[in-house]
Amino acid sequence: MTGQTDHALRGDYSRIRADYTVEQDWGAYTREEHELWRRLCARQAALVPRYACEEFRATLATLDYEAGIPRFEAINRRLAAATRWELAAVPGLVPDLVFFEHLANRRFPVTVWLREPGEFDYIVEPDVFHDFFGHVPMLFNPVFADYMQAYGRGGIKAHALGAIEMLARLYWYTVEFGLIDTREGLRAYGAGILSSGGEIRHCVESPEPNRVGFDLLRIMRTRYKIDTFQETYFVIRGFDELFEATAPDFAPHYEALRAEGLLAPSELLPADRVYHRGNAPQRAA
Ligand code: HBI
Ligand code: FE
C-alpha cells in the first residue's frame, strides 16, 4: 500500500485481528474456485521447467498444489521445518508497516481470496494464487528466506525514515520481478513473474525489456509500473548477492538517493552491467 492504487481494496476486512490476519476458512472455497486454481496451476506448472530458477522448481515439485487451493496449515508444518517461516492468512493488501512486521517475524501474509475466472491472465492486486504459487516456494530456500526477513526489518526502519518508496522498489525488482543468472541462462525467481502466464516467458525471452545486473542503489531510484510488463529486469548472480546487499544500514543510502533524481523504468545508465539492451521504443518517462 504505497499509494500505487487508487481503487478500493478487495477482500473482507471485517474480521481482521490486530495484526490484520484472518482465518483462512478453507471450507468456504467453492468447487469452482478449486477448479480455477487447478487451471491456473496447470498453466504455470507447464512453464516453470523452462523459465523458473532451480530453487523454485525443486520446491514446487514437492508441494502438490494441483489438488486445489492449499490449506495454509498443512504447508506451515513443512515450512517451519525448512526455514522457520509460516504463512499468515490476510484479507488482501495490508498496511506497509504491518506487512514489514510480519516479514521481520518470518511470517508471510497470504491473501485468502482467489481471482475471478475473467482475471485468469492478469490481476493487479495479489490473490491467493499469486501469493501462494509465486512466493511460497521461494520461502523454502534458506538464503532467500533470510533475505525476506532482512527486508522486513529494513522496512520497519524505512518506515521511520520516510523512505518506504525507495525500499519498495527493491522489493518490486527482486522479490516480485527478479531474474537470476544461472548455468542454464537467465531464470525467474520473482513471484510476480512466476505467477504470470505471459510475463514468465517475456522476462526471459522477449527482446523488448532491458536486463541489467543487480545494483542496490540503482534499483532504489528506478520507478516501476504496476499495470504492464516490466521494461527493465534486474539480474542477481545468486541469492547470497541479494542477502549481502541488505546487510549494511540503508539510512545513508536514503540520504544520498534523495539528492539524485529518479530513473524511468526503461532508462539505461552508462554504469549498468547490461545483459540485454531492450529494443522496445523509448516510451515517455
Ligand atoms: N500486503 N498482503 C500484502 N502483500 C504485499 O505484497 C504487500 C502488502 N502490503 C504492502 C506491500 N506489499 C508493499 O507496500 C511493500 O512491499 C513495500
Ligand atoms: Fe507478491
Side-chain angles (χ1 to χ4, degrees):
M1 287 211 267
T2 36
Q4 299 141 352
T5 53
D6 50 13
H7 58 92
L9 289 178
R10 245 164 110 163
D12 177 5
Y13 289 77
S14 69
R15 278 184 280 252
I16 52 170
R17 305 181 187 105
D19 64 357
Y20 274 75
T21 62
V22 292
E23 284 299 319
Q24 184 189 11
D25 196 8
W26 188 83
Y29 293 119
T30 64
R31 209 154 43 85
E32 289 74 22
E33 285 175 318
H34 286 298
E35 177 54 29
L36 177 59
W37 169 279
R38 284 192 286 270
R39 287 202 294 126
L40 285 161
C41 271
R43 176 190 41 192
Q44 277 334 88
L47 296 165
V48 157
R50 166 78 185 88
Y51 300 106
C53 69
E54 188 180 352
E55 292 79 359
F56 181 88
R57 294 195 314 253
T59 304
L60 189 72
T62 70
L63 290 178
D64 46 65
Y65 283 181
E66 273 87 357
I69 301 170
R71 293 179 199 261
F72 299 173
E73 279 171 18
I75 301 291
N76 271 345
R77 271 174 256 135
R78 303 176 53 185
L79 191 52
T83 56
R84 294 179 294 110
W85 270 75
E86 73 178 294
L87 308 181
V90 291
L93 288 171
V94 302
D96 291 326
L97 190 56
V98 173
F99 184 68
F100 296 141
E101 277 169 352
H102 280 300
L103 299 184
N105 290 291
R106 296 176 92 88
R107 287 190 302 266
F108 190 77
V110 176
T111 302
V112 293
W113 57 265
L114 183 67
R115 68 192 67 188
E116 300 293 326
E119 298 167 307
F120 194 74
D121 289 327
Y122 180 72
I123 187 162
V124 177
E125 272 170 66
D127 71 339
V128 62
F129 182 73
H130 164 81
D131 281 344
F132 216 109
F133 190 96
H135 288 284
V136 172
M138 292 307 300
L139 293 173
F140 280 80
N141 178 264
V143 181
F144 189 82
D146 286 349
Y147 170 67
M148 290 291 280
Q149 180 177 31
Y151 179 86
R153 288 175 172 160
I156 294 169
K157 286 192 230 163
H159 190 266
L161 295 167
I164 281 191
E165 285 188 13
M166 288 183 249
L167 198 69
R169 294 187 197 108
L170 177 63
Y171 193 84
W172 190 262
Y173 283 118
T174 61
V175 179
E176 295 293 354
F177 292 94
L179 295 182
I180 182 166
D181 186 5
T182 77
R183 272 167 297 173
E184 316 169 271
L186 299 188
R187 291 290 179 268
Y189 73 88
I193 40 192
L194 289 165
S195 61
S196 160
E199 193 154 2
I200 191 171
R201 286 178 248 227
H202 176 87
C203 69
V204 169
E205 278 176 356
S206 169
E208 285 179 22
N210 301 314
R211 299 183 186 84
V212 176
F214 174 87
D215 177 333
L216 179 70
L217 295 176
R218 201 284 192 207
I219 287 175
M220 289 204 287
R221 52 195 282 251
T222 307
R223 295 191 295 109
Y224 57 84
K225 297 190 178 166
I226 65 163
D227 53 2
T228 61
F229 289 167
Q230 300 306 304
E231 293 167 54
T232 299
Y233 298 95
F234 290 92
V235 181
I236 59 170
R237 285 168 285 199
F239 294 109
D240 291 332
E241 180 175 16
L242 212 50
F243 182 68
E244 281 158 22
T246 52
D249 181 12
F250 283 14
H253 294 334
Y254 299 144
E255 285 298 314
L257 289 169
R258 278 189 228 278
E260 297 183 57
L262 294 183
L263 301 168
S266 61
E267 210 167 330
L268 280 177
L269 297 181
D272 285 339
R273 197 160 45 81
V274 177
Y275 284 84
H276 174 80
R277 179 178 295 268
N279 71 1
Q282 284 291 308
R283 277 155 284 218

